[in-house]
Amino acid sequence: SMNNWFKSGSPWVWLSAGGVSISLISVVGLLWLIASRGLSYFWPADIYQFEMTDEKGKNLTVIGEIYDRESIPVSQLVHLDLDLDKSAETLERLLIKTGNRELVSLDFRWILVPQINKTSLPEELVVIERRTNGNFYGYIEAIILDGQVVEQSQMAELVTRVSDFQAEIEALQKSDIGAINYQIERTRLKERKHKLDDTLTPQLAGEFKAKVAGLRAEYEVLERKLMSLREKISRDQIVMRAMDGQKVTINFEDVLHVTFNNKLSVFEKIKLFFSQIVAFVTDDPREANTEGGVFPAIFGTVLMVLLMTVIVSPLGVVAAIYLHEYAGNNTLTKLLRIAVINLAGVPSIVYGVFGLGFFVYMVGGSLDQLFYAETLPSPTFGTPGVMWSAITLAILTLPVVIVSTEEGLSRIPSAMRHGSLALGATKAETLWRIILPIASPAIMTGIILAIARAAGEVAPLMLVGVVKMAPNLPLDGNFPFLHLDRKFMHLGFHIYDVGFQSPNVEAARPLVYATALLLVTIIVALNMTAVSIRNRLREKYRMLEH
């Protein structure tokens, strides 16, 4: 009977079901790990005050968040000459995030639990999130508004007032002043182009000069406005008392949020949790990417994947149609197929080297000499950028699209082709009206696989366009609006940069998980969109197949 059971195929069904279950459990487990580690970063932590005695018997106060706990063998601490309980084998120690970078050089410190005399959660403790220097933990001594000390109850309106000022300053710098600088540069380049072509008449030169003078005047007005805003903002300060009693004055222009974490109710904590997640997704990074948000990286990733899809789809589909419908069964076709299969096996970094050598230096360099000679020696397209990244990844994912499109084409019964041709349609019409619509779900499958492969690639991008920090997005309000020559930020590279290149690895660890979660979410969202389009196409053309 055992033999019959094997012959019936049941064990293989159970085996495959088990395999699928294990895969699902491991994927869910991985996502759970990333999400729990990443999202806990946004939850407002309690701020503790520890009264403790250090190795020299001196009393001191430590204020901060508990970041991590671990047990260590007592034998590791013999050299410290502490009066510890000799019978215990292990000791607990806490990793405390103390912030206050201007007073202590490191953000974190380990403290041993036996050295703590008293632990408390004072409600007056405040955490200030700042633009530079990270968090500050301590007590508010005084609030100074326009040079005068005011009540602490005015804190909330002060912070909103400051964030309004900051928003105004940023808008001025980025959009208005940025646009004027861009225009001045464009005018200078136009003038230079005329000079190079020997077509610069005195009248044209005068026009250019007048235009630049007008722009400069506008610029000065805006700059005065900016200065007055900065002056207004710099008159507001907050005086803090740190854990060792030192007083520190923080300018309000550096302050992003002031929160009394220990006073917050559960609902307030949840509200703060979601607002911090929103800020992470919508803000620009700061402090060497270890603080702030990742919006430019999200934008860069999505833009590059969409560009790549637009490039790879027509190329892959046309190649597959040629190979399947037109190419004869000869040596050339065999060579082409071997080439496609080999392309799929080339390591991705090799594509990066190819993209850099061929697209960036050869094609980009030639484009610069032909169309952007006036900007040389600083390159326009002869330097890594979004466009070259998208094209490099398109070549990387081309085999996937070709193979899956061919699969789709070979599934279509030849009777349909013959029927169409018999009714008087040309071969091209048959392809366009009958073959491609029925093969469209298979084409979409290829595109889905290409998106999944490309969105996770980092190695080739480091050579052809990704940078640690790109202050300008490839899309802005200046004509031609989409700047394909600009470098961009990418979530995959951002994870690598924050996790391994950051000056403060310990502080950046939760950010690595949060960014990884975001990258997975974006790839899943792109894939789900493509899958839903594919399902629609399947439904639409199901009748044709029967």
Side-chain angles (χ1 to χ4, degrees), residues 276-289:
Q276 289 190 342
I277 291 179
V278 170
F280 177 66
V281 174
T282 54
D283 282 358
D284 287 357
R286 28 172 232 281
E287 294 274 343
N289 292 350

Side-chain angles (χ1 to χ4, degrees), residues 175-186:
S175 47
D176 305 356
I177 293 182
I180 289 181
N181 281 335
Y182 185 78
Q183 298 270 325
I184 289 177
E185 182 59 11
R186 289 290 291 266

